[in-house]
Amino acid sequence: MKSAWDYLNPDINYGEFTDERDGQVYKTVKIGDQVWMAQNLNYAYIDVPYNFPYNYNDYTSDSTSWCYDNNPANCAKYGRLYTWAAAMDSVGEWSTNGKGCGYGKTCSPTYPVRGICPKGWHLPPYSSEFSTLFDAVGGKSTAGTKLKSVSGWSNGNGTDAYGFSALPAGYRSGSGLFSSSNDVAFFWGAAEDIQGDGSAYYMILNSNKYPDFSYLPKYAALSIRCIKDSE
């Protein structure tokens, strides 16, 4: 299977950095005044057990991140899928800005939230930094097309005009089912749903020309795109 680098735009002048935690190398891209990772995070955050009620039964897992279909080749292509607690670094492994943010808890994070992102990078807030990205590529009405990769989508490829190179990584449900690979890209934001403590916001790219925001239970596992801290 191809890796994420195979889907990058060859006409874009990408940057590059190394995650000091595991030595993985990521491409980066400047869009407007922002610098984004040009591929999804693939840090293997595992061996962090957690437990939550699902359909009135306790569900226990030995991980807070997964490869789609538990296939390592999908991690190379799509990056890993993370619960919101893992995205926010709820245990405070690398920072305290998102500590305690998890399923069944409300929290008041201090922005920017590094979360599980590499040092010098952070998890985008609910809408502000994503919205700035949309404006930089010409507005929300066509941003979906311009941010999607030129191949890999079963329901309509993009133009990848700015090198964001979004791939449809799908998601993992709380019950452990994987879905929507090849069709949808979900990216966690650093904000929980204002209606309660069980859901958090994400940005979605699908068959539409425009991206959107909605929320899913925090125990779902989605992709992460980190954005570089302001200097």
Side-chain angles (χ1 to χ4, degrees), residues 101-126:
C101 293
Y103 183 78
K105 299 179 180 179
T106 55
C107 63
S108 299
T110 302
Y111 296 104
V113 176
R114 174 183 171 179
I116 198 175
C117 291
K119 184 178 180 181
W121 298 75
H122 62 272
L123 194 67
Y126 157 45

Side-chain angles (χ1 to χ4, degrees), residues 99-185:
K99 189 172 182 179
C101 293
Y103 183 78
K105 299 179 180 179
T106 55
C107 63
S108 299
T110 302
Y111 296 104
V113 176
R114 174 183 171 179
I116 198 175
C117 291
K119 184 178 180 181
W121 298 75
H122 62 272
L123 194 67
Y126 157 45
S127 64
S128 59
E129 289 181 324
F130 281 125
S131 294
T132 298
L133 172 65
F134 304 155
D135 290 342
V137 301
K140 187 176 179 180
S141 63
T142 58
T145 299
K146 294 177 181 179
L147 296 175
K148 291 163 61 175
S149 58
V150 298
S151 62
W153 292 78
S154 64
N155 56 3
N157 294 312
T159 64
D160 199 17
Y162 294 83
F164 193 78
S165 306
L167 287 168
Y171 73 102
R172 181 187 185 276
S173 72
S175 62
L177 298 177
F178 294 90
S179 180
S180 298
S181 171
N182 300 321
D183 297 326
V184 184

Side-chain angles (χ1 to χ4, degrees), residues 202-220:
Y202 63 84
M203 187 269 280
I204 181 173
L205 298 172
N206 51 27
S207 60
N208 296 323
K209 292 182 180 180
Y210 56 89
D212 206 353
F213 298 103
S214 190
Y215 52 88
L216 277 171
K218 295 175 182 177
Y219 51 69

Side-chain angles (χ1 to χ4, degrees), residues 1-226:
M1 180 178 287
K2 294 181 179 180
S3 73
W5 285 27
D6 294 312
Y7 293 88
L8 298 175
N9 186 338
D11 297 325
I12 297 294
N13 183 24
Y14 290 98
E16 192 173 288
F17 82 98
T18 301
D19 187 343
E20 63 185 23
R21 298 172 297 183
D22 60 5
Q24 289 200 74
V25 179
Y26 293 92
K27 294 292 186 180
T28 67
V29 62
K30 186 174 183 180
I31 303 176
D33 293 328
Q34 298 175 319
V35 177
W36 290 84
M37 289 174 57
Q39 58 202 98
N40 296 345
L41 185 67
N42 191 28
Y43 178 71
Y45 197 37
I46 57 177
D47 299 325
V48 185
Y50 72 110
N51 178 277
F52 58 84
Y54 183 81
N55 286 346
Y56 305 102
N57 294 302
D58 283 345
Y59 176 82
T60 302
S61 174
D62 62 356
S63 179
T64 51
S65 71
W66 300 265
C67 299
Y68 190 92
D69 274 345
N70 295 316
N71 183 346
N74 284 325
C75 274
K77 179 179 179 180
Y78 295 126
R80 297 184 73 88
L81 303 172
Y82 301 87
T83 64
W84 192 70
M88 295 290 285
D89 185 20
S90 65
V91 299
E93 179 73 17
W94 299 288
S95 73
T96 59
N97 287 16
K99 189 172 182 179
C101 293
Y103 183 78
K105 299 179 180 179
T106 55
C107 63
S108 299
T110 302
Y111 296 104
V113 176
R114 174 183 171 179
I116 198 175
C117 291
K119 184 178 180 181
W121 298 75
H122 62 272
L123 194 67
Y126 157 45
S127 64
S128 59
E129 289 181 324
F130 281 125
S131 294
T132 298
L133 172 65
F134 304 155
D135 290 342
V137 301
K140 187 176 179 180
S141 63
T142 58
T145 299
K146 294 177 181 179
L147 296 175
K148 291 163 61 175
S149 58
V150 298
S151 62
W153 292 78
S154 64
N155 56 3
N157 294 312
T159 64
D160 199 17
Y162 294 83
F164 193 78
S165 306
L167 287 168
Y171 73 102
R172 181 187 185 276
S173 72
S175 62
L177 298 177
F178 294 90
S179 180
S180 298
S181 171
N182 300 321
D183 297 326
V184 184
F186 300 90
F187 302 100
W188 278 130
E192 59 193 355
D193 173 23
I194 60 175
Q195 301 300 319
D197 58 8
S199 299
Y201 285 103
Y202 63 84
M203 187 269 280
I204 181 173
L205 298 172
N206 51 27
S207 60
N208 296 323
K209 292 182 180 180
Y210 56 89
D212 206 353
F213 298 103
S214 190
Y215 52 88
L216 277 171
K218 295 175 182 177
Y219 51 69
L222 311 182
S223 299
I224 290 176
R225 276 295 178 102
C226 302

